[in-house]
Amino acid sequence: MIYLPFYKMTNTIQNYEWGSKTAMQGLFAFKNKTQQTQAELWMGAHANGCSLLSTGEGVIKLSDFIAQDPHLILGKKTADEFGQLPYLFKVLAAEKALSVQVHPNKQQAQAGFAKENKLAVPHNAFNRNYKDANHKPEVVFALTEYLAMNGFRDMQQIVEYFQPINILEIKPLLQAFSADFTAGGLQDFFQAMLLLEGGRKTRAVQALMVYAQDNLHQPLFSLIAELGRQYPGDIGLFSPLMMNVLTLQPGEAMFLDACTPHAYIKGTGLEIMANSDNVLRAGLTPKYIDVPELLANTIFCSKAAEDLLLKPQADAGWQNYVVPVSDFKLSIADNVEDLCVKVNSAEIIFAVDAPVRLSHRDENTITINKGESLFIPAYAGDYQVSSSGQLARAYN
Ligand SMILES: [Zn+2]
């Protein structure tokens, strides 16, 4: 086949039950005749939902295309370091909260994956934590108001939120924590909460829900009441008291670092992540919670609210969201005319809210509409891009 500079992508939509039936339809006019929950649009080469490329002679799976010549298509550096497209780019539309979770760092993922392989835990087993040997840093960029939790709150503040609820089962834990505002104190408190069982857990959650109902005027407790309808009886209903709760405004972004608890609650955004499925859950989920493994992969320190947002760096028409990992980069541009872009790796361009036109040395020109994406192999070298709206660029 002839190698082109641009390939229009056909992407998989994942219909997870927490997804929105209307968000992607509203933003990108995606058809949804059967009223499915459209949770995630996947742009990438992941085996569970690989994008298809239009070649002019038919379609080819992105993973098969890359396999034809990884050095040429990914670029030598990326091919040598990763051997595959190192990122997965998504649109994520949450109507319901996703689980509270932590991702391991690279070393922990390698060790955990090797250990579970040695123990012969089947890959699809209920209690399998490590699906691969990779870390899973994530960046989320809000397209609508986007409600999320990220990192532990200030420890004094955690105690101040718990105290007035006055839950018998938690009182001794809270007293011990109040006398020990250290990483160890926070870990002990967090662990003891997760290990509440049977009647103690039921009574504690019930007391929280009663308090939340009586305090709906406070946004935090109105959130807990709402989460209580989504995940009745779940120990994760306490997590908004322990974690920073924030609403990203459209155009704001945040980085989800390894070993930091987080959860997406509601909203639509772009998400880019390393190619991994390693998730350790900590609540708001019917799935498996491996408490010891979770604790071993969590850093118990408070994260200041002002450090939660990722500040973009402006450069040559782009807003660059710089992260401390080599797996991916994300840049956003708004209203650009013939912006020249140099290509060093395989890229994906996503049109957010208006058509995007790309041209390659005046020979090839292609236009995509909002909600559509293009794959640009590293060999393209450079291109020019124009749009009267917003576009996102994933690369590494
Ligand atoms: Zn995550």
Side-chain angles (χ1 to χ4, degrees):
M1 74 187 251
I2 307 161
Y3 281 176
L4 303 171
F6 310 123
Y7 293 93
K8 209 163 164 176
M9 301 169 77
T10 302
N11 303 308
T12 303
I13 291 180
Q14 309 284 5
N15 303 111
Y16 307 138
E17 58 93 30
W18 50 259
S20 167
K21 290 179 183 171
T22 55
M24 292 199 201
Q25 214 174 14
L27 286 172
F28 314 121
F30 288 175
K31 290 200 174 69
N32 190 10
K33 278 185 194 149
T34 50
Q35 284 295 295
Q36 305 233 48
T37 50
Q38 298 183 314
E40 295 186 352
L41 175 83
W42 282 22
M43 296 174 275
H46 197 284
N48 296 347
C50 187
S51 298
L52 300 174
L53 306 184
S54 302
T55 65
E57 299 156 13
V59 294
I60 183 170
K61 266 185 167 180
L62 177 55
S63 53
D64 291 341
F65 178 61
I66 291 170
Q68 288 183 1
D69 197 334
H71 274 84
L72 196 65
I73 294 165
L74 298 173
K76 187 178 176 325
K77 192 167 171 284
T78 303
D80 287 343
E81 186 179 352
F82 298 98
Q84 59 173 344
L85 190 69
Y87 57 83
L88 180 59
F89 192 26
K90 295 180 180 176
V91 176
L92 187 148
E95 186 65 36
K96 220 177 124 174
L98 285 70
S99 59
V100 182
Q101 53 188 250
V102 168
H103 305 300
N105 67 29
K106 212 163 198 166
Q107 281 170 323
Q108 291 163 333
Q110 281 163 351
F113 186 64
K115 189 174 127 195
E116 289 186 344
N117 282 351
K118 209 172 161 193
L119 294 170
V121 184
H123 271 250
N124 53 0
F126 174 72
N127 62 344
R128 175 100 197 186
N129 290 312
Y130 298 92
K131 306 281 165 58
D132 52 70
N134 204 7
H135 63 170
K136 189 172 178 275
E138 303 167 340
V139 166
V140 61
F141 174 88
L143 296 177
T144 66
E145 281 200 350
Y146 196 89
L147 184 60
M149 293 190 269
N150 185 1
F152 289 110
R153 290 179 183 277
D154 172 74
M155 298 189 204
Q156 178 73 44
Q157 199 185 43
I158 295 176
V159 170
E160 281 166 15
Y161 278 127
F162 271 89
Q163 234 145 21
I165 312 173
N166 200 17
I167 299 173
L168 208 64
E169 283 73 17
I170 298 176
K171 226 171 189 173
L173 312 177
L174 205 58
Q175 255 160 13
F177 181 36
S178 306
D180 184 15
F181 284 152
T182 63
L186 178 57
Q187 171 163 353
D188 289 348
F189 181 64
F190 184 73
Q191 174 176 6
M193 290 297 297
L194 282 175
L195 291 176
L196 283 177
E197 274 184 332
R200 293 181 67 215
K201 176 182 161 188
T202 310
R203 286 191 296 275
V205 173
Q206 262 168 6
L208 172 67
M209 296 321 290
V210 168
Y211 186 88
Q213 276 306 323
D214 291 343
N215 289 274
L216 292 175
H217 57 281
Q218 294 185 51
L220 189 63
F221 289 100
S222 129
L223 170 64
I224 290 171
E226 167 64 25
L227 293 174
R229 287 188 283 276
Q230 299 178 7
Y231 296 93
D234 193 296
I235 199 65
L237 295 172
F238 283 101
S239 52
L241 305 178
M242 290 188 262
M243 291 164 61
N244 294 299
V245 176
L246 74 162
T247 303
L248 302 182
Q249 296 303 313
E252 289 183 335
M254 128 178 121
F255 179 55
L256 292 316
D257 208 347
C259 306
T260 305
H262 58 274
Y264 298 153
I265 301 172
K266 193 175 176 150
T268 303
L270 297 172
E271 191 189 33
I272 185 162
M273 60 181 62
N275 225 341
S276 170
D277 257 339
N278 285 327
V279 179
L280 296 156
R281 291 182 180 80
L284 303 182
T285 181
K287 291 186 186 159
Y288 179 61
I289 299 182
D290 183 335
V291 175
E293 203 59 38
L294 171 70
L295 298 175
N297 284 279
T298 303
I299 296 174
F300 288 92
C301 69
S302 302
K303 200 163 176 176
E306 61 267 26
D307 294 337
L308 295 173
L309 291 188
L310 195 53
K311 289 171 193 72
Q313 297 174 4
D315 180 40
W318 296 98
Q319 298 289 327
N320 298 326
Y321 292 88
V322 179
V323 289
V325 296
S326 59
D327 305 69
F328 60 81
K329 293 190 173 81
L330 177 69
S331 298
I332 304 287
D334 260 301
N335 197 9
V336 287
E337 177 97 39
D338 288 330
L339 185 62
C340 292
V341 182
K342 205 171 154 8
V343 180
N344 293 308
S345 68
E347 304 200 352
I348 293 172
I349 292 280
F350 178 77
V352 176
D353 57 4
V356 173
R357 193 187 76 239
L358 280 86
S359 53
H360 188 249
R361 294 166 199 171
D362 299 326
E363 289 161 30
N364 285 279
T365 296
I366 194 165
T367 301
I368 51 170
N369 292 315
K370 63 179 180 179
E372 294 183 330
S373 61
L374 285 177
F375 180 75
I376 307 167
Y379 62 69
D382 55 73
Y383 60 89
Q384 289 183 307
V385 60
S386 303
S387 178
S388 62
Q390 191 174 63
L391 62 126
R393 175 183 173 215
Y395 54 114
N396 78 297

